[in-house]
Amino acid sequence: MGEKTVTTLEGREQAPPQPVAEEEAGHGFLHRLRAPRRPRFWFEILLIALSYWTYSLIRNAVPEQKHEALRNADWIWRTEHHLGIAVEQSVNHTVNSVTWLIIGMNYYYATLHFVVTLGVLVWLYRSHPGRYAAARLALFATTAVALVGYYFFPLAPPRLMTGGDFVDTVLVHHTWGSMASGDLKHMSNQYAAMPSMHIGWSLWCGVTVFALASVPWARVLGLLYPATTLVVIVATANHFWLDAVGGMMCLAFGFLVARLWFGALPYALPRWVPGTGGAALLPLKV
């Protein structure tokens, strides 16, 4: 039989619309892939562990270009003097003169970077499952683009500058835990200071808590955390101010990736997704 036709009001015959099942199926798969869904606990644990292992492996595999890193540090230092913001040395020496304070900052630098970030991820997983995947993607994209900076712009931290007269506070006060100084320095690339992921991660935590927390004190802590981290990375001579700017730019890229993939910023997505519920997940009320 011939193909059926449809007569329009104007008397012209045309073929009926073709089925769009295949096209809708393709779009449907992409839509399902991009739609927020209930996170799976063990998958998330494995994904985070694998991602951090990969990040550390690549970061530490970047050649330690000492000469170029020191030259870049001198350029950053001159640029900050030109901008009138080169106060890292004063902050470093002033805070180092208060022993209990600088020791606390050394441990802060070594531990909270991981503890708080994981804590916020757990909180999102339990209390905001609909937003978890998008927020996680923003964090992962932030971290991934930082690797580009480590490769193309090796940078010595202030404490390693030649003639910089900065105090390496971990060495001076014999504190533990920092991969950047002391006995653990050989386990980490010493010339990967730009961008600062202490700032990238802490700002991600702060923005997330401020945007989603329901109690005022938690929102205030969300704002204080990246601000305090900024003081710590400078006081311990692990970063320049401009390293922090680099971390902020990486975070902006991470949120852009999440926005393009999910069609909205993480915090604008629904809190819950099908298959999750407040009573079932026992959300953390923060």
Coordinates of all heavy atoms in Angstrom, one line a residue, residues 33-93:
L33 N 20.2 11.3 32.5 CA 21.6 11.4 32.9 C 21.8 12.6 33.7 O 22.6 12.7 34.6 CB 22.5 11.3 31.7 CG 24.0 11.1 32.0 CD1 24.2 9.7 32.7 CD2 24.8 11.1 30.7
R34 N 21.2 13.7 33.3 CA 21.5 15.0 33.9 C 20.5 15.3 35.1 O 20.8 16.3 35.8 CB 21.3 16.1 32.8 CG 22.3 16.0 31.7 CD 21.9 16.9 30.5 NE 22.0 18.3 30.9 CZ 21.8 19.4 30.1 NH1 21.4 19.1 28.9 NH2 21.9 20.6 30.5
A35 N 19.5 14.6 35.2 CA 18.5 14.8 36.3 C 19.1 14.4 37.6 O 19.7 13.4 37.7 CB 17.2 14.1 36.0
P36 N 18.8 15.2 38.7 CA 19.2 14.8 40.0 C 18.6 13.5 40.4 O 17.4 13.2 40.1 CB 18.7 16.0 40.9 CG 18.5 17.1 39.9 CD 18.1 16.5 38.6
R37 N 19.3 12.7 41.1 CA 18.8 11.4 41.5 C 19.4 11.1 42.9 O 20.3 11.7 43.4 CB 19.2 10.3 40.5 CG 20.7 10.0 40.4 CD 21.0 9.1 39.3 NE 20.5 9.6 38.1 CZ 21.1 9.5 36.9 NH1 22.3 8.9 36.8 NH2 20.6 10.1 35.8
R38 N 18.8 10.1 43.5 CA 19.3 9.7 44.8 C 20.7 9.1 44.8 O 21.0 8.2 44.0 CB 18.3 8.6 45.4 CG 18.7 8.1 46.7 CD 17.7 7.1 47.3 NE 18.0 6.7 48.6 CZ 17.2 6.0 49.4 NH1 16.1 5.5 48.9 NH2 17.6 5.6 50.6
P39 N 21.6 9.8 45.5 CA 23.0 9.3 45.5 C 23.1 7.9 46.2 O 22.3 7.6 47.1 CB 23.7 10.3 46.3 CG 22.7 11.0 47.2 CD 21.4 10.9 46.4
R40 N 24.0 7.1 45.7 CA 24.2 5.8 46.3 C 25.5 5.8 47.1 O 26.5 6.2 46.7 CB 24.3 4.7 45.1 CG 23.0 4.5 44.4 CD 23.3 3.8 43.0 NE 24.0 4.7 42.1 CZ 24.4 4.3 40.9 NH1 24.2 3.1 40.5 NH2 25.1 5.1 40.1
F41 N 25.3 5.3 48.4 CA 26.3 5.5 49.4 C 27.7 5.0 49.0 O 28.7 5.7 48.9 CB 25.9 4.9 50.7 CG 26.9 5.1 51.8 CD1 27.1 6.3 52.4 CD2 27.7 4.0 52.2 CE1 28.1 6.4 53.4 CE2 28.6 4.1 53.2 CZ 28.8 5.3 53.8
W42 N 27.7 3.7 48.6 CA 29.0 3.0 48.3 C 29.6 3.6 47.1 O 30.9 3.7 47.0 CB 28.9 1.5 48.3 CG 28.6 0.9 49.6 CD1 27.5 0.3 50.1 CD2 29.5 0.9 50.7 NE1 27.6 0.0 51.4 CE2 28.9 0.3 51.8 CE3 30.8 1.4 50.9 CZ2 29.5 0.1 53.1 CZ3 31.5 1.2 52.1 CH2 30.8 0.6 53.2
F43 N 28.8 3.9 46.1 CA 29.3 4.5 44.9 C 30.0 5.8 45.2 O 31.0 6.2 44.6 CB 28.1 4.7 43.9 CG 28.6 5.5 42.6 CD1 29.2 4.8 41.6 CD2 28.3 6.8 42.5 CE1 29.6 5.5 40.5 CE2 28.6 7.5 41.4 CZ 29.3 6.9 40.3
E44 N 29.3 6.6 46.0 CA 29.9 7.9 46.4 C 31.2 7.8 47.1 O 32.2 8.5 46.9 CB 28.9 8.7 47.2 CG 27.6 9.1 46.5 CD 27.9 9.9 45.2 OE1 28.9 10.7 45.2 OE2 27.2 9.8 44.3
I45 N 31.3 6.8 48.0 CA 32.5 6.6 48.8 C 33.7 6.2 47.8 O 34.8 6.8 47.8 CB 32.4 5.5 49.8 CG1 31.4 5.9 50.9 CG2 33.7 5.1 50.4 CD1 31.9 7.1 51.7
L46 N 33.4 5.3 46.9 CA 34.4 4.9 45.9 C 34.8 6.0 45.0 O 35.9 6.2 44.6 CB 33.9 3.7 45.1 CG 33.8 2.4 45.9 CD1 33.1 1.3 45.0 CD2 35.1 1.9 46.4
L47 N 33.8 6.8 44.5 CA 34.0 7.9 43.6 C 34.9 9.0 44.2 O 35.9 9.4 43.6 CB 32.7 8.5 43.2 CG 32.8 9.7 42.2 CD1 33.5 9.2 40.9 CD2 31.4 10.3 41.9
I48 N 34.6 9.3 45.5 CA 35.4 10.4 46.2 C 36.8 9.9 46.4 O 37.8 10.6 46.2 CB 34.7 10.8 47.5 CG1 33.4 11.5 47.2 CG2 35.6 11.6 48.3 CD1 32.5 11.8 48.4
A49 N 36.9 8.6 46.9 CA 38.3 8.1 47.1 C 39.1 8.0 45.8 O 40.3 8.4 45.8 CB 38.2 6.7 47.8
L50 N 38.5 7.5 44.8 CA 39.2 7.4 43.5 C 39.5 8.8 42.9 O 40.6 9.0 42.4 CB 38.3 6.6 42.5 CG 38.9 6.4 41.1 CD1 40.2 5.6 41.1 CD2 37.9 5.7 40.2
S51 N 38.6 9.7 43.0 CA 38.9 11.0 42.5 C 40.0 11.7 43.3 O 40.9 12.3 42.6 CB 37.6 11.9 42.6 OG 36.6 11.3 41.9
Y52 N 40.0 11.6 44.6 CA 41.1 12.2 45.3 C 42.4 11.6 45.1 O 43.5 12.2 44.9 CB 40.8 12.2 46.8 CG 41.9 13.0 47.6 CD1 42.0 14.3 47.6 CD2 42.9 12.2 48.3 CE1 43.0 15.0 48.2 CE2 43.9 12.9 49.0 CZ 43.9 14.3 48.9 OH 45.0 14.9 49.6
W53 N 42.4 10.2 44.9 CA 43.7 9.5 44.6 C 44.2 10.0 43.2 O 45.4 10.2 43.1 CB 43.4 8.0 44.6 CG 44.6 7.2 44.2 CD1 45.7 6.8 44.9 CD2 44.8 6.6 42.9 NE1 46.5 6.1 44.2 CE2 46.1 5.9 42.9 CE3 44.1 6.6 41.7 CZ2 46.6 5.3 41.8 CZ3 44.6 6.0 40.6 CH2 45.8 5.3 40.7
T54 N 43.3 10.1 42.3 CA 43.7 10.5 40.9 C 44.2 11.9 41.0 O 45.2 12.3 40.3 CB 42.5 10.4 39.9 OG1 42.0 9.1 39.9 CG2 42.9 10.8 38.5
Y55 N 43.5 12.8 41.7 CA 44.0 14.2 41.8 C 45.4 14.3 42.4 O 46.3 15.0 41.9 CB 43.0 15.0 42.7 CG 43.5 16.3 43.2 CD1 43.6 17.4 42.4 CD2 43.9 16.4 44.6 CE1 44.1 18.6 42.9 CE2 44.3 17.6 45.1 CZ 44.5 18.7 44.3 OH 45.0 19.9 44.8
S56 N 45.6 13.5 43.5 CA 46.9 13.5 44.2 C 48.0 13.0 43.3 O 49.1 13.5 43.2 CB 46.8 12.7 45.5 OG 45.9 13.3 46.4
L57 N 47.6 11.9 42.5 CA 48.6 11.3 41.6 C 49.0 12.2 40.5 O 50.2 12.4 40.3 CB 48.0 10.0 41.0 CG 48.9 9.2 40.1 CD1 50.0 8.5 40.9 CD2 48.1 8.1 39.4
I58 N 48.1 12.9 39.9 CA 48.4 13.8 38.8 C 49.1 15.0 39.4 O 50.1 15.5 38.8 CB 47.1 14.2 38.1 CG1 46.5 13.0 37.4 CG2 47.4 15.3 37.0 CD1 45.1 13.3 36.8
R59 N 48.7 15.6 40.5 CA 49.3 16.8 41.1 C 50.8 16.5 41.4 O 51.6 17.3 41.1 CB 48.5 17.2 42.3 CG 49.1 18.4 43.0 CD 48.3 18.7 44.2 NE 48.7 20.0 44.9 CZ 49.6 20.1 45.8 NH1 50.3 19.0 46.2 NH2 50.0 21.3 46.3
N60 N 51.0 15.3 42.0 CA 52.4 15.0 42.4 C 53.2 14.5 41.2 O 54.4 14.5 41.4 CB 52.3 14.0 43.5 CG 51.7 14.5 44.8 OD1 51.6 15.7 45.0 ND2 51.1 13.6 45.6
A61 N 52.6 14.1 40.1 CA 53.3 13.7 39.0 C 53.8 14.9 38.1 O 54.6 14.7 37.2 CB 52.5 12.7 38.1
V62 N 53.2 16.1 38.3 CA 53.6 17.2 37.6 C 55.1 17.5 37.9 O 55.5 17.5 39.1 CB 52.7 18.5 38.0 CG1 53.3 19.7 37.3 CG2 51.3 18.2 37.5
P63 N 55.9 17.7 36.9 CA 57.3 17.9 37.2 C 57.6 19.1 38.2 O 56.9 20.2 38.0 CB 57.9 18.3 35.8 CG 57.0 17.7 34.8 CD 55.6 17.8 35.5
E64 N 58.4 18.9 39.1 CA 58.7 20.0 40.1 C 59.8 20.9 39.4 O 61.0 20.8 39.6 CB 59.3 19.4 41.4 CG 58.2 18.6 42.2 CD 58.6 18.4 43.6 OE1 59.7 18.9 44.0 OE2 57.8 17.8 44.4
Q65 N 59.3 21.8 38.7 CA 60.1 22.8 37.9 C 60.6 23.9 38.9 O 60.1 25.0 38.9 CB 59.4 23.3 36.7 CG 58.9 22.2 35.8 CD 57.8 22.6 34.8 OE1 56.7 23.1 35.3 NE2 58.1 22.6 33.5
K66 N 61.6 23.6 39.6 CA 62.0 24.4 40.7 C 62.4 25.8 40.2 O 62.0 26.8 40.7 CB 63.2 23.8 41.5 CG 63.7 24.7 42.6 CD 64.8 23.9 43.4 CE 65.3 24.8 44.6 NZ 66.3 24.1 45.4
H67 N 63.2 25.9 39.2 CA 63.7 27.2 38.7 C 62.6 28.0 38.2 O 62.5 29.2 38.5 CB 64.7 26.9 37.5 CG 65.3 28.2 37.0 ND1 66.1 29.0 37.6 CD2 65.0 28.8 35.8 CE1 66.4 30.1 36.9 NE2 65.7 30.0 35.7
E68 N 61.7 27.4 37.4 CA 60.5 28.2 36.9 C 59.6 28.6 38.0 O 59.0 29.7 38.1 CB 59.8 27.4 35.9 CG 58.6 28.1 35.2 CD 58.0 27.4 34.1 OE1 58.4 26.2 33.8 OE2 57.0 27.9 33.5
A69 N 59.4 27.7 39.0 CA 58.5 27.9 40.1 C 59.0 29.1 41.0 O 58.3 30.0 41.4 CB 58.4 26.7 41.0
L70 N 60.3 29.2 41.2 CA 60.9 30.3 41.9 C 60.8 31.6 41.1 O 60.6 32.7 41.7 CB 62.4 30.0 42.3 CG 62.6 28.8 43.3 CD1 64.0 28.5 43.5 CD2 62.0 29.3 44.7
R71 N 61.0 31.5 39.8 CA 60.9 32.7 39.0 C 59.5 33.2 39.0 O 59.2 34.4 39.1 CB 61.3 32.4 37.6 CG 61.3 33.6 36.7 CD 61.9 33.3 35.3 NE 61.0 32.5 34.5 CZ 61.3 31.2 34.2 NH1 62.5 30.7 34.5 NH2 60.4 30.5 33.5
N72 N 58.5 32.3 39.0 CA 57.1 32.7 39.0 C 56.8 33.3 40.4 O 56.0 34.3 40.5 CB 56.2 31.5 38.8 CG 56.2 31.1 37.3 OD1 56.5 31.9 36.4 ND2 55.9 29.9 37.0
A73 N 57.4 32.8 41.5 CA 57.1 33.3 42.8 C 57.6 34.8 42.9 O 57.0 35.6 43.5 CB 57.8 32.5 43.9
D74 N 58.8 35.0 42.3 CA 59.4 36.4 42.3 C 58.4 37.3 41.5 O 58.2 38.4 41.9 CB 60.7 36.4 41.7 CG 61.8 35.7 42.5 OD1 61.6 35.7 43.8 OD2 62.8 35.2 42.0
W75 N 57.9 36.8 40.4 CA 57.0 37.6 39.6 C 55.7 37.9 40.4 O 55.2 39.1 40.4 CB 56.6 36.9 38.3 CG 55.7 37.7 37.4 CD1 56.0 38.7 36.6 CD2 54.3 37.5 37.4 NE1 54.9 39.2 36.0 CE2 53.8 38.5 36.4 CE3 53.3 36.7 38.0 CZ2 52.4 38.6 36.1 CZ3 52.0 36.8 37.7 CH2 51.6 37.7 36.8
I76 N 55.1 36.9 41.0 CA 53.9 37.2 41.9 C 54.2 38.2 43.0 O 53.4 39.1 43.2 CB 53.4 35.8 42.5 CG1 52.9 34.9 41.4 CG2 52.4 36.1 43.6 CD1 51.5 35.2 41.0
W77 N 55.3 38.0 43.6 CA 55.7 38.9 44.7 C 55.9 40.4 44.2 O 55.4 41.3 44.8 CB 57.0 38.4 45.3 CG 57.4 39.0 46.7 CD1 58.6 39.5 47.0 CD2 56.5 39.2 47.8 NE1 58.6 39.9 48.3 CE2 57.3 39.7 48.8 CE3 55.2 38.9 48.1 CZ2 56.9 40.1 50.1 CZ3 54.7 39.2 49.4 CH2 55.5 39.8 50.3
R78 N 56.5 40.6 43.0 CA 56.6 41.9 42.4 C 55.3 42.5 42.1 O 55.0 43.7 42.3 CB 57.5 41.9 41.2 CG 59.0 41.6 41.5 CD 59.9 41.9 40.3 NE 59.4 41.2 39.1 CZ 59.9 40.0 38.8 NH1 60.8 39.4 39.5 NH2 59.5 39.4 37.6
T79 N 54.4 41.6 41.5 CA 53.1 42.0 41.1 C 52.3 42.5 42.3 O 51.6 43.5 42.3 CB 52.3 40.9 40.4 OG1 53.1 40.5 39.2 CG2 50.9 41.3 40.0
E80 N 52.4 41.8 43.4 CA 51.6 42.2 44.6 C 52.2 43.5 45.2 O 51.4 44.3 45.7 CB 51.7 41.0 45.6 CG 50.9 39.8 45.2 CD 50.6 38.8 46.4 OE1 51.2 39.0 47.4 OE2 49.8 37.9 46.2
H81 N 53.5 43.7 45.1 CA 54.0 45.0 45.5 C 53.5 46.1 44.7 O 53.1 47.2 45.2 CB 55.5 44.9 45.4 CG 56.2 44.4 46.7 ND1 56.5 43.1 46.8 CD2 56.5 45.0 47.8 CE1 57.1 42.9 48.0 NE2 57.1 44.0 48.7
H82 N 53.4 45.8 43.4 CA 52.8 46.8 42.5 C 51.4 47.1 42.8 O 50.9 48.3 42.7 CB 53.0 46.4 41.0 CG 52.4 47.3 40.0 ND1 53.1 48.5 39.7 CD2 51.3 47.3 39.2 CE1 52.4 49.2 38.8 NE2 51.3 48.4 38.5
L83 N 50.6 46.1 43.2 CA 49.2 46.3 43.5 C 49.0 46.8 44.9 O 47.9 47.1 45.3 CB 48.5 45.0 43.3 CG 48.4 44.4 41.9 CD1 47.8 43.0 41.9 CD2 47.6 45.3 41.0
G84 N 50.1 46.8 45.7 CA 50.0 47.3 47.1 C 49.3 46.3 48.0 O 48.8 46.7 49.1
I85 N 49.4 45.0 47.7 CA 48.8 44.0 48.6 C 49.9 43.0 49.1 O 49.5 41.9 49.7 CB 47.7 43.2 47.9 CG1 48.3 42.5 46.6 CG2 46.6 44.1 47.5 CD1 47.3 41.6 45.9
A86 N 51.1 43.3 49.0 CA 52.2 42.4 49.4 C 52.4 42.5 50.9 O 53.5 43.0 51.3 CB 53.5 42.7 48.6
V87 N 51.5 42.0 51.7 CA 51.6 42.0 53.1 C 51.8 40.6 53.7 O 51.7 40.5 55.0 CB 50.4 42.7 53.7 CG1 50.3 44.2 53.3 CG2 49.1 42.0 53.4
E88 N 52.0 39.6 52.9 CA 52.1 38.2 53.4 C 53.3 38.1 54.4 O 53.1 37.4 55.4 CB 52.3 37.3 52.2 CG 51.2 37.0 51.3 CD 51.1 38.0 50.1 OE1 51.7 39.1 50.2 OE2 50.6 37.6 49.1
Q89 N 54.4 38.7 54.1 CA 55.5 38.6 55.0 C 55.2 39.2 56.4 O 55.5 38.6 57.4 CB 56.7 39.3 54.4 CG 58.0 39.0 55.2 CD 59.2 39.7 54.5 OE1 59.6 40.8 54.8 NE2 59.7 39.0 53.5
S90 N 54.5 40.3 56.5 CA 54.2 40.9 57.7 C 53.2 40.0 58.5 O 53.3 39.9 59.7 CB 53.5 42.3 57.5 OG 54.5 43.2 56.9
V91 N 52.2 39.5 57.8 CA 51.2 38.6 58.4 C 52.0 37.4 59.0 O 51.7 36.9 60.1 CB 50.1 38.2 57.4 CG1 49.2 37.1 58.1 CG2 49.3 39.4 57.0
N92 N 52.8 36.8 58.2 CA 53.6 35.6 58.5 C 54.4 35.8 59.8 O 54.3 35.0 60.8 CB 54.5 35.2 57.4 CG 55.4 34.0 57.7 OD1 56.6 34.2 57.5 ND2 54.9 32.9 58.1
H93 N 55.1 36.9 59.9 CA 56.0 37.2 61.0 C 55.2 37.5 62.3 O 55.5 37.2 63.4 CB 57.0 38.3 60.7 CG 58.1 37.8 59.8 ND1 59.4 37.6 60.4 CD2 58.2 37.6 58.5 CE1 60.2 37.2 59.4 NE2 59.5 37.2 58.3

